[in-house]
Amino acid sequence: MTAEKLRLGVNIDHVATVRNARGGDNPDPVRAALIAQAAGADGITAHLREDRRHIVDADIDGLIAALTVPLNFEMAATHEMQQIALRHKPHAVCLVPEKREERTTEGGLDVAGNDNALAAYIAPLADAGSRVSMFIAADRVQVDACRRIGAPVIELHAGAYADAWAEGDWATRDNELAKITDMTAYAVSLGIEVHVGHGLTYDSVGPIAALRQVSELNIGHFIIGEAIFRGLDPAIQEMRRCMDAARA
Ligand code: PXP
């Protein structure tokens, strides 16, 4: 299975970070999402954290009402978040760790250590029509656990790869890229769709975008930062260009 077009999900959390630094309404993450949509984003990603440090409940209401592209709703596997997801029925729900004890050593969700509970947790979300994805480290034990619980999608955590790139640690970068490459192929062989995200930049996105079995990248912080200098629409279009160039 080879993903045809590599989708770009733009994460607008950090527009809300800037807004919340002052309180009030500006800048509005829903407005950013609509600009991202017009700029060619294939989806919008937003993480409603338990502490509401960036996106807040009203932002999710606004995104659901305004978007025509799919919303990828990132959340912790809590009862409160499950109720919110069941109310909104977003296109996708991506489960992410928020607490230290939910994480594997590499920082993704520890699906292998919680598979029975997670299987029960995701069942109503899937019944409601959301595609459930697990944000995991590129680790075979975690991929196997995702298969066991019937997750149709995984998102591989690119943080260690992105950090190594930023630090100029090429040996670690290559090692992390190899893990993402191998676990993408393995997951796809099991029938699981693969997304990748966290920490990607114009420089680091290329080798990931070149992996033809990857279906979607979710990118936020770098794009929102770059938007300060060149505007949101051009910042997104440049990411799209980097992705397309790598895949071509
Ligand atoms: N994917 C997931 C699952 C995330 O939790 C995040 C935000 O940390 C991202 C992608 C986007 O990461 P970034 O903002 O570093 O691009």
Side-chain angles (χ1 to χ4, degrees):
M1 187 169 75
T2 299
E4 284 302 315
K5 186 196 175 203
L6 177 60
R7 296 193 301 272
L8 170 60
V10 174
N11 180 319
I12 43 84
D13 290 350
H14 296 298
V15 177
T17 303
V18 176
R19 175 194 60 194
N20 296 358
R22 271 289 170 94
D25 297 332
N26 297 307
D28 176 12
V30 177
R31 181 176 170 201
L34 290 174
I35 292 171
Q37 181 175 274
D42 301 292
I44 298 297
T45 292
H47 181 181
L48 183 66
R49 295 185 60 97
E50 289 177 83
D51 63 9
R52 309 304 198 266
R53 80 170 62 145
H54 38 58
I55 294 294
V56 297
D57 301 63
D59 296 325
I60 299 296
D61 295 343
L63 291 168
I64 290 281
L67 289 177
T68 54
V69 294
L71 176 67
N72 175 32
F73 180 54
E74 290 180 0
M75 61 184 220
T78 66
H79 177 71
E80 181 201 17
M81 290 298 154
Q82 188 189 48
Q83 294 309 302
I84 293 170
L86 290 174
R87 198 164 69 240
H88 287 301
K89 301 180 177 51
H91 167 82
V93 169
C94 180
L95 296 186
V96 300
E98 286 188 18
K99 299 191 179 73
R100 180 171 283 268
E101 62 270 22
E102 296 168 343
R103 295 179 188 190
T104 61
T105 42
E106 290 85 359
L109 193 66
D110 184 13
V111 181
N114 299 288
D115 50 353
N116 286 336
L118 283 170
Y121 185 86
I122 68 174
L125 298 169
D127 288 347
S130 293
R131 299 196 78 211
V132 181
S133 122
M134 301 282 150
F135 186 44
I136 58 167
D139 173 351
R140 197 179 179 105
V141 171
Q142 299 298 336
V143 176
D144 283 336
C146 290
R147 186 195 195 192
R148 270 201 308 282
I149 69 169
V153 183
I154 59 173
E155 180 162 331
L156 296 177
H157 197 315
Y161 162 82
D163 287 349
W165 192 293
E167 289 156 13
D169 179 351
W170 307 137
T172 303
R173 176 198 64 178
D174 293 348
N175 189 37
E176 293 298 328
L177 181 61
K179 285 199 245 173
I180 291 171
T181 305
D182 291 350
M183 284 309 110
T184 296
Y186 180 56
V188 168
S189 79
L190 301 177
I192 299 173
E193 181 173 309
V194 177
H195 303 171
V196 181
H198 199 92
L200 295 174
T201 67
Y202 295 149
D203 287 335
S204 60
V205 77
I208 302 286
L211 301 176
R212 304 197 75 82
Q213 292 173 311
V214 172
S215 300
E216 179 174 307
L217 303 182
N218 284 301
I219 308 178
H221 185 267
F222 180 83
I223 288 176
I224 301 305
E226 196 63 18
I228 294 169
F229 304 109
R230 55 171 102 199
L232 185 53
D233 185 320
I236 291 168
Q237 287 188 18
E238 177 61 12
M239 188 59 81
R240 181 81 255 173
R241 194 196 62 73
C242 293
M243 289 163 54
D244 290 346
R247 190 153 276 210

Coordinates of all heavy atoms in Angstrom, one line a residue, residues 40-124:
G40 N -4.4 25.3 1.5 CA -4.2 24.0 1.0 C -3.9 22.9 2.0 O -3.6 21.8 1.7
A41 N -4.1 23.2 3.3 CA -4.1 22.2 4.3 C -5.1 21.2 4.0 O -6.3 21.5 3.7 CB -4.3 22.8 5.7
D42 N -4.7 19.9 4.2 CA -5.7 18.8 3.9 C -6.5 18.5 5.2 O -7.5 17.8 5.1 CB -5.0 17.5 3.5 CG -4.2 17.8 2.3 OD1 -4.8 18.0 1.2 OD2 -2.9 17.8 2.3
G43 N -6.1 19.0 6.3 CA -6.8 18.9 7.6 C -6.3 19.8 8.6 O -5.2 20.4 8.4
I44 N -7.0 20.0 9.7 CA -6.6 20.8 10.8 C -6.5 20.0 12.0 O -7.4 19.1 12.3 CB -7.6 22.0 11.0 CG1 -7.7 22.9 9.8 CG2 -7.2 22.8 12.3 CD1 -6.4 23.6 9.4
T45 N -5.4 20.1 12.7 CA -5.2 19.4 14.0 C -5.2 20.4 15.1 O -4.7 21.5 15.1 CB -3.8 18.7 13.9 OG1 -3.9 17.7 12.9 CG2 -3.4 18.1 15.2
A46 N -5.9 19.9 16.2 CA -5.9 20.8 17.4 C -5.9 19.8 18.6 O -6.6 18.8 18.6 CB -7.2 21.6 17.4
H47 N -5.2 20.2 19.6 CA -5.0 19.4 20.8 C -5.7 20.1 22.0 O -5.2 21.2 22.4 CB -3.5 19.2 21.1 CG -3.2 18.4 22.3 ND1 -1.9 18.1 22.7 CD2 -4.0 17.7 23.2 CE1 -1.9 17.3 23.7 NE2 -3.2 17.1 24.1
L48 N -6.8 19.6 22.4 CA -7.5 20.1 23.6 C -6.8 19.5 24.8 O -7.1 18.3 25.2 CB -9.0 19.9 23.6 CG -9.8 20.5 24.7 CD1 -9.8 22.0 24.7 CD2 -11.2 20.0 24.7
R49 N -5.9 20.2 25.5 CA -5.2 19.6 26.6 C -6.1 19.7 27.9 O -7.0 20.5 28.0 CB -3.9 20.4 26.9 CG -2.9 20.3 25.8 CD -1.6 21.0 26.2 NE -1.1 20.4 27.4 CZ -0.1 19.4 27.5 NH1 0.5 19.1 26.3 NH2 0.3 18.9 28.6
E50 N -5.8 18.7 28.8 CA -6.6 18.7 30.0 C -6.5 20.1 30.8 O -7.4 20.5 31.4 CB -6.1 17.6 30.9 CG -6.5 16.2 30.4 CD -6.0 15.1 31.3 OE1 -6.6 14.9 32.3 OE2 -4.9 14.6 31.0
D51 N -5.3 20.7 30.7 CA -5.1 22.0 31.4 C -5.5 23.2 30.5 O -5.4 24.3 31.0 CB -3.7 22.1 31.8 CG -2.7 22.2 30.7 OD1 -3.1 22.2 29.5 OD2 -1.5 22.1 30.9
R52 N -6.0 23.0 29.3 CA -6.5 24.0 28.4 C -5.4 25.1 28.2 O -5.7 26.3 28.1 CB -7.8 24.7 28.8 CG -8.9 23.7 29.2 CD -9.3 22.8 28.1 NE -10.6 22.2 28.2 CZ -10.9 21.0 28.8 NH1 -9.9 20.3 29.3 NH2 -12.1 20.6 28.9
R53 N -4.1 24.7 28.1 CA -3.1 25.7 28.1 C -3.0 26.4 26.7 O -2.5 27.5 26.6 CB -1.7 25.1 28.4 CG -1.0 24.4 27.3 CD 0.4 24.0 27.7 NE 0.5 23.2 28.9 CZ 1.4 22.2 29.0 NH1 2.4 22.1 28.1 NH2 1.5 21.5 30.1
H54 N -3.6 25.8 25.6 CA -3.7 26.5 24.4 C -5.1 26.5 23.9 O -5.9 27.4 24.1 CB -2.6 26.2 23.4 CG -2.2 24.7 23.3 ND1 -3.1 23.7 23.0 CD2 -1.0 24.1 23.4 CE1 -2.4 22.6 22.9 NE2 -1.2 22.8 23.2
I55 N -5.4 25.4 23.1 CA -6.8 25.3 22.6 C -7.8 25.2 23.8 O -7.5 24.4 24.8 CB -6.9 24.1 21.7 CG1 -6.0 24.3 20.4 CG2 -8.3 23.7 21.3 CD1 -6.5 25.4 19.5
V56 N -8.9 25.9 23.7 CA -10.0 25.7 24.7 C -11.3 25.2 24.0 O -11.3 25.1 22.8 CB -10.3 27.1 25.4 CG1 -9.0 27.6 26.1 CG2 -10.8 28.1 24.4
D57 N -12.2 24.8 24.9 CA -13.4 24.1 24.4 C -14.1 24.9 23.3 O -14.6 24.4 22.3 CB -14.4 23.8 25.5 CG -13.7 23.0 26.6 OD1 -12.7 23.4 27.2 OD2 -14.2 21.8 26.8
A58 N -14.2 26.2 23.5 CA -14.9 27.1 22.5 C -14.1 27.0 21.1 O -14.8 27.2 20.1 CB -15.0 28.5 23.0
D59 N -12.8 26.8 21.1 CA -12.1 26.7 19.8 C -12.6 25.5 19.1 O -12.7 25.5 17.9 CB -10.6 26.6 20.1 CG -10.0 27.9 20.7 OD1 -10.5 29.0 20.4 OD2 -9.1 27.7 21.5
I60 N -12.7 24.4 19.8 CA -13.2 23.1 19.2 C -14.6 23.3 18.6 O -14.9 23.0 17.5 CB -13.2 21.9 20.2 CG1 -11.7 21.7 20.7 CG2 -13.7 20.7 19.5 CD1 -10.7 21.3 19.7
D61 N -15.5 24.0 19.4 CA -16.8 24.3 18.9 C -16.7 25.1 17.6 O -17.4 24.8 16.6 CB -17.6 25.2 19.9 CG -17.9 24.4 21.2 OD1 -17.8 23.2 21.2 OD2 -18.2 25.1 22.1
G62 N -15.8 26.1 17.6 CA -15.7 27.0 16.4 C -15.1 26.2 15.2 O -15.5 26.4 14.1
L63 N -14.1 25.3 15.5 CA -13.5 24.6 14.4 C -14.5 23.6 13.7 O -14.6 23.5 12.5 CB -12.3 23.8 14.9 CG -11.1 24.6 15.3 CD1 -10.1 23.8 16.1 CD2 -10.4 25.2 14.1
I64 N -15.3 22.9 14.6 CA -16.3 22.0 14.1 C -17.3 22.8 13.2 O -17.7 22.3 12.1 CB -17.0 21.3 15.3 CG1 -16.0 20.3 15.9 CG2 -18.3 20.6 14.8 CD1 -15.8 19.0 15.2
A65 N -17.7 24.0 13.6 CA -18.7 24.7 12.9 C -18.1 25.3 11.6 O -18.9 25.4 10.6 CB -19.2 25.9 13.8
A66 N -16.8 25.6 11.6 CA -16.3 26.4 10.4 C -15.6 25.6 9.4 O -15.6 26.0 8.2 CB -15.4 27.5 11.0
L67 N -15.0 24.5 9.8 CA -14.1 23.8 8.8 C -14.9 23.0 7.8 O -15.9 22.4 8.1 CB -13.2 22.9 9.6 CG -12.1 23.5 10.4 CD1 -11.3 22.4 11.1 CD2 -11.1 24.3 9.5
T68 N -14.3 22.9 6.6 CA -14.8 22.0 5.6 C -13.8 20.8 5.4 O -14.1 19.8 4.9 CB -15.1 22.7 4.2 OG1 -13.9 23.3 3.8 CG2 -16.2 23.6 4.3
V69 N -12.5 21.0 5.8 CA -11.6 19.9 5.8 C -11.7 19.2 7.1 O -12.2 19.7 8.1 CB -10.1 20.4 5.6 CG1 -9.9 21.1 4.2 CG2 -9.7 21.4 6.7
P70 N -11.2 18.0 7.2 CA -11.3 17.2 8.4 C -10.6 17.8 9.6 O -9.5 18.4 9.4 CB -10.7 15.8 8.0 CG -10.7 15.8 6.6 CD -10.6 17.2 6.1
L71 N -11.2 17.6 10.8 CA -10.5 18.0 12.0 C -9.9 16.7 12.7 O -10.6 15.7 12.8 CB -11.5 18.6 13.0 CG -10.9 18.9 14.4 CD1 -9.9 20.0 14.3 CD2 -12.0 19.3 15.4
N72 N -8.7 16.8 13.0 CA -8.0 15.8 13.7 C -7.9 16.3 15.2 O -7.1 17.2 15.5 CB -6.6 15.6 13.1 CG -5.7 14.6 13.9 OD1 -6.2 13.6 14.5 ND2 -4.4 14.8 13.9
F73 N -8.7 15.7 16.0 CA -8.8 16.1 17.4 C -7.8 15.3 18.3 O -8.0 14.1 18.5 CB -10.3 15.9 17.8 CG -10.6 16.3 19.2 CD1 -10.3 17.6 19.7 CD2 -11.2 15.5 20.1 CE1 -10.7 18.0 21.0 CE2 -11.6 15.8 21.4 CZ -11.3 17.1 21.8
E74 N -6.8 16.0 18.8 CA -5.8 15.3 19.6 C -6.3 15.5 21.1 O -6.6 16.6 21.5 CB -4.4 15.9 19.5 CG -3.8 15.7 18.2 CD -2.4 16.3 18.1 OE1 -2.0 16.9 19.1 OE2 -1.8 16.2 17.1
M75 N -6.1 14.4 21.8 CA -6.6 14.4 23.2 C -5.9 13.3 24.0 O -5.5 12.3 23.5 CB -8.1 14.3 23.3 CG -8.6 13.0 22.7 SD -10.4 12.9 22.6 CE -10.6 11.2 23.1
A76 N -5.9 13.5 25.3 CA -5.5 12.4 26.3 C -6.7 11.4 26.4 O -7.9 11.8 26.2 CB -5.2 13.0 27.6
A77 N -6.4 10.2 26.8 CA -7.4 9.2 26.9 C -8.1 9.3 28.3 O -8.0 8.4 29.1 CB -6.8 7.8 26.8
T78 N -8.8 10.4 28.5 CA -9.6 10.6 29.7 C -11.0 10.5 29.5 O -11.5 10.7 28.3 CB -9.3 12.0 30.3 OG1 -9.8 13.0 29.5 CG2 -7.8 12.2 30.6
H79 N -11.8 10.3 30.5 CA -13.3 10.3 30.4 C -13.8 11.6 29.8 O -14.7 11.6 28.9 CB -13.9 9.9 31.7 CG -15.4 9.9 31.6 ND1 -16.1 8.9 31.0 CD2 -16.4 10.8 32.1 CE1 -17.4 9.2 31.0 NE2 -17.6 10.3 31.7
E80 N -13.3 12.7 30.4 CA -13.8 14.0 29.9 C -13.6 14.2 28.4 O -14.5 14.6 27.7 CB -13.0 15.1 30.7 CG -13.5 16.5 30.3 CD -12.5 17.6 30.6 OE1 -11.3 17.3 30.8 OE2 -13.0 18.8 30.6
M81 N -12.4 13.9 28.0 CA -12.1 14.1 26.5 C -12.9 13.1 25.7 O -13.4 13.5 24.6 CB -10.6 13.8 26.3 CG -9.7 14.9 26.8 SD -10.1 16.5 26.1 CE -9.6 17.6 27.5
Q82 N -13.1 11.9 26.1 CA -14.0 11.0 25.4 C -15.4 11.6 25.2 O -16.0 11.5 24.1 CB -14.0 9.6 26.1 CG -14.7 8.5 25.3 CD -14.9 7.3 26.2 OE1 -15.4 7.4 27.3 NE2 -14.6 6.2 25.6
Q83 N -15.9 12.2 26.3 CA -17.3 12.8 26.2 C -17.3 13.9 25.2 O -18.2 14.1 24.4 CB -17.7 13.2 27.6 CG -17.9 12.1 28.6 CD -18.8 11.0 28.0 OE1 -19.9 11.2 27.6 NE2 -18.3 9.8 27.9
I84 N -16.2 14.7 25.2 CA -16.2 15.8 24.2 C -16.1 15.3 22.8 O -16.8 15.8 21.9 CB -15.0 16.8 24.6 CG1 -15.2 17.4 25.9 CG2 -14.7 17.8 23.5 CD1 -14.0 18.2 26.5
A85 N -15.2 14.3 22.6 CA -15.1 13.7 21.2 C -16.4 13.1 20.8 O -16.8 13.2 19.6 CB -14.0 12.7 21.2
L86 N -17.1 12.5 21.7 CA -18.4 11.8 21.3 C -19.5 12.9 21.0 O -20.3 12.6 20.2 CB -18.9 10.9 22.4 CG -18.0 9.6 22.6 CD1 -18.5 8.8 23.8 CD2 -18.1 8.7 21.3
R87 N -19.3 14.0 21.6 CA -20.3 15.1 21.3 C -20.0 15.7 19.9 O -21.0 15.9 19.2 CB -20.2 16.2 22.4 CG -21.4 17.1 22.4 CD -21.4 17.9 23.7 NE -20.4 18.9 23.8 CZ -19.4 19.0 24.7 NH1 -19.4 18.1 25.7 NH2 -18.5 19.9 24.7
H88 N -18.8 15.8 19.6 CA -18.4 16.5 18.3 C -18.3 15.5 17.1 O -18.3 15.9 16.0 CB -17.1 17.3 18.5 CG -17.3 18.5 19.3 ND1 -18.1 19.5 18.9 CD2 -16.7 18.9 20.4 CE1 -18.0 20.5 19.8 NE2 -17.2 20.2 20.7
K89 N -17.9 14.3 17.4 CA -17.7 13.3 16.4 C -16.7 13.8 15.3 O -17.1 13.9 14.1 CB -19.0 12.8 15.8 CG -19.9 12.2 16.8 CD -21.2 11.7 16.1 CE -22.2 11.0 17.0 NZ -22.5 11.7 18.3
P90 N -15.5 14.2 15.7 CA -14.6 14.7 14.7 C -14.2 13.6 13.7 O -14.3 12.4 14.0 CB -13.4 15.2 15.5 CG -13.4 14.4 16.7 CD -14.9 14.1 17.0
H91 N -13.7 14.0 12.5 CA -13.2 13.0 11.6 C -12.2 12.1 12.2 O -12.3 10.8 12.0 CB -12.6 13.8 10.4 CG -11.8 12.9 9.5 ND1 -12.4 12.1 8.5 CD2 -10.5 12.6 9.4 CE1 -11.5 11.4 7.8 NE2 -10.3 11.7 8.4
A92 N -11.3 12.6 12.9 CA -10.2 11.8 13.5 C -10.0 12.2 15.0 O -10.1 13.3 15.3 CB -8.9 11.9 12.7
V93 N -9.7 11.2 15.8 CA -9.3 11.4 17.2 C -7.9 10.8 17.3 O -7.7 9.6 17.0 CB -10.2 10.7 18.2 CG1 -9.7 10.7 19.6 CG2 -11.6 11.4 18.1
C94 N -6.9 11.6 17.7 CA -5.6 11.0 17.9 C -5.3 11.1 19.4 O -5.3 12.1 20.1 CB -4.5 11.9 17.2 SG -2.8 11.3 17.4
L95 N -5.0 9.9 20.0 CA -4.8 9.8 21.4 C -3.3 10.1 21.7 O -2.4 9.4 21.1 CB -5.1 8.4 22.0 CG -6.6 8.1 21.9 CD1 -6.9 6.8 22.6 CD2 -7.5 9.2 22.5
V96 N -3.0 11.0 22.6 CA -1.6 11.4 22.9 C -1.4 11.3 24.4 O -2.4 11.5 25.2 CB -1.4 12.9 22.4 CG1 -1.6 13.0 20.9 CG2 -2.2 13.9 23.1
P97 N -0.2 11.1 24.8 CA 0.1 11.1 26.2 C 0.2 12.5 26.8 O 0.7 13.4 26.1 CB 1.5 10.4 26.3 CG 2.1 10.7 25.0 CD 1.0 10.8 24.0
E98 N -0.3 12.8 27.9 CA -0.1 14.1 28.6 C 0.7 13.9 29.9 O 1.3 14.9 30.4 CB -1.4 14.8 28.8 CG -2.0 15.4 27.5 CD -3.2 16.3 27.7 OE1 -3.5 16.7 28.8 OE2 -3.9 16.4 26.7
K99 N 0.6 12.7 30.5 CA 1.3 12.5 31.8 C 2.5 11.6 31.6 O 2.4 10.7 30.7 CB 0.3 11.9 32.8 CG -0.9 12.8 33.0 CD -1.7 12.2 34.2 CE -2.9 13.1 34.5 NZ -4.0 12.9 33.6
R100 N 3.5 11.8 32.4 CA 4.7 11.1 32.3 C 4.4 9.5 32.3 O 5.0 8.8 31.5 CB 5.6 11.4 33.4 CG 6.9 10.8 33.5 CD 7.8 11.4 34.5 NE 8.3 12.7 34.1 CZ 9.5 12.8 33.5 NH1 10.2 11.7 33.3 NH2 9.9 13.9 33.1
E101 N 3.5 9.1 33.1 CA 3.3 7.6 33.2 C 2.6 7.0 32.0 O 2.6 5.8 31.9 CB 2.6 7.3 34.6 CG 1.2 7.9 34.7 CD 1.2 9.3 35.4 OE1 2.2 10.0 35.3 OE2 0.1 9.6 35.9
E102 N 2.1 7.9 31.2 CA 1.4 7.3 30.0 C 2.4 7.1 28.8 O 2.0 6.7 27.7 CB 0.3 8.3 29.5 CG -0.8 8.5 30.4 CD -1.7 9.7 30.1 OE1 -1.3 10.5 29.3 OE2 -2.8 9.7 30.6
R103 N 3.6 7.6 29.0 CA 4.6 7.6 27.9 C 5.5 6.4 27.9 O 5.9 5.9 28.9 CB 5.5 8.9 28.0 CG 4.7 10.1 27.9 CD 5.6 11.3 28.0 NE 4.7 12.5 28.1 CZ 5.2 13.7 28.0 NH1 6.5 13.9 27.9 NH2 4.3 14.7 28.1
T104 N 5.9 6.1 26.6 CA 7.0 5.1 26.5 C 8.3 6.0 26.6 O 8.2 7.2 26.7 CB 7.0 4.5 25.1 OG1 7.1 5.5 24.1 CG2 5.7 3.7 24.9
T105 N 9.4 5.3 26.6 CA 10.7 6.0 26.8 C 10.9 7.0 25.7 O 11.5 8.1 26.0 CB 11.9 5.0 26.8 OG1 11.6 4.1 25.8 CG2 12.0 4.3 28.1
E106 N 10.4 6.8 24.5 CA 10.6 7.7 23.4 C 9.6 8.9 23.4 O 9.7 9.8 22.6 CB 10.6 7.0 22.1 CG 11.8 6.1 21.8 CD 11.6 4.7 22.4 OE1 10.5 4.5 23.0 OE2 12.5 3.9 22.3
G107 N 8.6 8.8 24.3 CA 7.7 9.9 24.4 C 6.3 9.7 23.8 O 5.4 10.5 23.9
G108 N 6.1 8.6 23.1 CA 4.7 8.3 22.6 C 3.8 7.7 23.6 O 4.2 7.4 24.8
L109 N 2.6 7.4 23.2 CA 1.6 6.8 24.1 C 2.1 5.3 24.4 O 2.4 4.6 23.4 CB 0.3 6.8 23.5 CG -1.0 6.5 24.3 CD1 -1.2 7.5 25.4 CD2 -2.2 6.4 23.4
D110 N 1.9 4.9 25.6 CA 2.3 3.5 25.9 C 1.0 2.6 25.7 O 0.3 2.2 26.6 CB 2.8 3.4 27.4 CG 3.2 1.9 27.7 OD1 3.4 1.1 26.8 OD2 3.4 1.6 28.9
V111 N 0.8 2.2 24.5 CA -0.3 1.4 24.1 C -0.1 0.0 24.6 O -1.0 -0.7 25.2 CB -0.5 1.4 22.6 CG1 -1.8 0.5 22.2 CG2 -0.7 2.8 22.0
A112 N 1.1 -0.5 24.5 CA 1.4 -1.9 24.9 C 1.2 -2.1 26.4 O 0.7 -3.2 26.8 CB 2.9 -2.2 24.6
G113 N 1.4 -1.1 27.2 CA 1.1 -1.2 28.7 C -0.3 -1.0 29.1 O -0.6 -1.2 30.3
N114 N -1.2 -0.6 28.2 CA -2.6 -0.3 28.5 C -3.5 -0.8 27.5 O -4.6 -0.2 27.2 CB -2.7 1.2 28.6 CG -1.8 1.9 29.6 OD1 -2.1 1.7 30.8 ND2 -0.8 2.5 29.2
D115 N -3.2 -1.9 26.8 CA -4.0 -2.3 25.6 C -5.4 -2.6 25.9 O -6.3 -2.2 25.2 CB -3.3 -3.3 24.8 CG -2.8 -4.5 25.5 OD1 -2.9 -4.5 26.8 OD2 -2.4 -5.5 24.9
N116 N -5.7 -3.3 27.0 CA -7.1 -3.6 27.3 C -7.9 -2.4 27.6 O -9.0 -2.2 27.0 CB -7.2 -4.6 28.5 CG -6.7 -6.0 28.2 OD1 -6.8 -6.4 27.0 ND2 -6.3 -6.7 29.2
A117 N -7.4 -1.5 28.4 CA -8.1 -0.3 28.7 C -8.3 0.6 27.5 O -9.4 1.2 27.2 CB -7.4 0.5 29.8
L118 N -7.3 0.6 26.6 CA -7.4 1.5 25.4 C -8.3 0.9 24.4 O -9.1 1.6 23.7 CB -6.0 1.7 24.8 CG -5.1 2.7 25.5 CD1 -3.7 2.7 25.0 CD2 -5.7 4.2 25.4
A119 N -8.4 -0.4 24.3 CA -9.3 -1.1 23.4 C -10.8 -0.7 23.8 O -11.6 -0.3 22.9 CB -9.1 -2.6 23.4
A120 N -11.0 -0.7 25.1 CA -12.4 -0.4 25.6 C -12.6 1.1 25.4 O -13.7 1.6 25.0 CB -12.5 -0.7 27.0
Y121 N -11.6 1.9 25.5 CA -11.7 3.4 25.4 C -12.0 3.8 24.0 O -12.9 4.7 23.8 CB -10.4 4.0 25.9 CG -10.5 5.5 26.0 CD1 -11.0 6.2 27.1 CD2 -10.1 6.3 24.9 CE1 -11.1 7.6 27.1 CE2 -10.2 7.7 24.9 CZ -10.7 8.3 26.1 OH -10.7 9.7 26.1
I122 N -11.4 3.2 23.0 CA -11.6 3.7 21.7 C -12.8 3.1 21.0 O -13.3 3.7 20.0 CB -10.3 3.4 20.8 CG1 -10.1 1.9 20.5 CG2 -9.1 4.0 21.3 CD1 -9.0 1.6 19.5
A123 N -13.4 2.0 21.6 CA -14.6 1.4 20.9 C -15.7 2.4 20.6 O -16.2 2.5 19.5 CB -15.0 0.2 21.7
P124 N -16.1 3.2 21.6 CA -17.3 4.1 21.4 C -16.9 5.2 20.4 O -17.7 5.7 19.6 CB -17.6 4.7 22.7 CG -16.6 4.2 23.7 CD -15.8 3.1 23.1

